Amino acid sequence: MTEDLAMIATADEKDFRELVVTDRASLLSSLAGVAADARQGLRPILHFDCHGSRDQGLLLEPSGEFLSWGDLADALRRVNVATRNNLCCVFGVCFGLRMSLELSLNKPTPYYLTIAPENEIAVGVLEDRVARFYSDTLTGGNITAAYQRVLAPDLKLFHCKEIMARALATYIAKNCVGRGRRERRERMVTRTMDAKGIVEPTPEQLSQARAGIRTALEPSQALIDRYAPRFLIGRDPGFGYAELKRLSDGYVALFRKRLELETRKAGR
C-alpha cells in the first residue's frame, strides 16, 4: 500500500512520509517529531499500519514490544494540541478503536477524528480499500464522505465533538435525572455535612444543603462551557445545551427501556 499511497499523494501535490518504527521508543520519537512539525504548520493524517491487541495496544515488530492504547493516546494528544485539534488518525490495526476508550473530557482529545476497526480486520479489506479511500479523500476534499463511500461499515468513524456530546448526555442521563440524581444529591449532602464537621445534622440543615445542591446539580450550558475549551483545544463544540438536552432525553428513554426489559426477564 505504501507505493500506492505515495503515488496518490504525489499526484495531488501532498507530502507523503513513511515512518518505519521497530519498537516503542522509535514510535514515540516519531510522534514527537510529528508534533514538532505540527507546531510549524503541518496538518497530518496519521495512518497506522501494524498489528493490534485488544488489551495491550499496538504490537511493534521486530522488537515484539507493545505500546499501550493509553500511552498512544497521550502521545497523540501532544500532536493534536500542536495541530490545534486538526489531527486525523486512521488505524489499519485490529482493535484500533480501543484507543478511544482512553478519552477523558478532562484532557485534550487525541484527535479531531479517527477511523478504526472495532475488532479484528482482514488484511484483504485494507489492501482493497485504503488506497481508494485516500484517493477519494484527496479528490473530494472530504474525509468523512470518503469514509462513508469506501471504509464503512467495516471501520468506524469517531469525531471528537460527537464524543463530547455523547459523553455529556450520558452523564446527564445517569446522574442528573431520577434515581441517579437523588442518589448523587444524598452523597453530596453527606460530604457537605462531613466537611462542616456536622455529625447529626438537623432537618433544617439537611433541607438547606439539599436546596443548594439541587441547584448545583441542574445541568445547563455551563456543563459544555466547562469541558469544551480543554477537550476540544479551543474549537467550538458546534452544539448548545438545547441539543444536548434532546440527546440526554433520548438516553433517559433508552435506559428506562433497558431497565424494563431486564426487570421482565428477571421476573420470568
Side-chain angles (χ1 to χ4, degrees):
M1 291 187 289
T2 301
E3 293 180 358
D4 291 338
L5 296 179
M7 287 191 293
I8 291 169
T10 300
D12 203 68
E13 298 183 344
K14 295 292 192 298
D15 183 23
F16 174 82
R17 308 178 192 177
E18 181 185 12
L19 303 177
V20 178
V21 299
T22 58
D23 54 24
R24 186 178 186 278
S26 61
L27 176 54
L28 291 176
S29 177
S30 293
L31 290 177
V34 174
D37 290 341
R39 286 190 284 272
Q40 302 302 315
L42 178 68
R43 297 295 180 262
I45 298 175
L46 291 182
H47 183 98
F48 292 83
D49 182 22
C50 59
H51 293 293
S53 164
R54 182 192 301 273
D55 299 319
Q56 294 175 280
L58 295 183
L59 173 60
L60 305 170
E61 299 288 6
S63 69
E65 294 179 350
F66 283 94
L67 180 69
S68 71
W69 297 121
D71 288 345
L72 177 61
D74 286 339
L76 290 177
R77 281 189 182 96
R78 290 187 280 273
V79 178
N80 198 31
V81 168
T83 69
R84 299 180 182 178
N85 198 7
N86 280 283
L87 176 64
C88 297
C89 295
V90 180
F91 289 88
V93 178
C94 293
F95 308 107
L97 210 59
R98 296 286 294 183
M99 191 195 72
S100 294
L101 297 179
E102 302 296 331
L103 270 63
S104 167
L105 294 187
N106 291 310
K107 298 179 181 180
T109 172
Y111 52 71
Y112 179 68
L113 67 78
T114 191
I115 299 171
E118 185 174 5
N119 298 300
E120 294 181 344
I121 186 75
V123 173
V125 172
L126 299 174
E127 291 178 341
D128 179 57
R129 301 188 196 177
V130 166
R132 287 195 290 125
F133 162 72
Y134 282 108
S135 179
D136 194 330
T137 297
L138 295 177
T139 300
N142 189 323
I143 190 172
T144 56
Y147 158 77
Q148 290 291 347
R149 283 190 288 264
V150 183
L151 296 179
D154 296 277
L155 282 76
K156 308 295 184 183
L157 186 150
F158 274 12
H159 190 289
C160 64
K161 294 183 181 182
E162 179 185 2
I163 288 172
M164 178 179 169
R166 291 185 178 280
L168 291 179
T170 300
Y171 166 80
I172 292 172
K174 290 185 175 181
N175 296 281
C176 301
V177 177
R179 178 180 176 181
R181 177 189 176 99
R182 292 191 296 272
E183 291 178 349
R184 185 169 176 234
R185 182 191 65 196
E186 291 309 306
R187 289 195 300 270
M188 293 178 70
V189 167
T190 299
R191 286 198 293 268
T192 299
M193 296 298 105
D194 290 343
K196 293 180 178 181
I198 302 174
V199 179
E200 296 183 3
T202 65
E204 183 179 358
Q205 289 173 323
L206 289 173
S207 178
Q208 290 177 346
R210 289 189 178 109
I213 291 170
R214 187 179 299 112
T215 301
L217 288 178
E218 189 66 33
S220 67
Q221 178 66 35
L223 189 62
I224 300 172
D225 296 341
R226 175 183 175 185
Y227 291 104
R230 175 177 291 185
F231 183 71
L232 299 180
I233 315 174
R235 274 187 178 263
D236 188 286
F239 63 89
Y241 182 68
E243 294 86 353
L244 186 62
K245 180 66 165 55
R246 286 195 291 271
L247 184 59
S248 67
D249 287 346
Y251 280 154
V252 169
L254 177 62
F255 296 155
R256 284 174 178 168
K257 287 182 179 179
R258 287 179 178 174
L259 182 60
E260 289 175 2
L261 288 174
E262 291 174 359
T263 302
R264 289 175 186 173
K265 289 181 180 179
R268 289 179 180 176

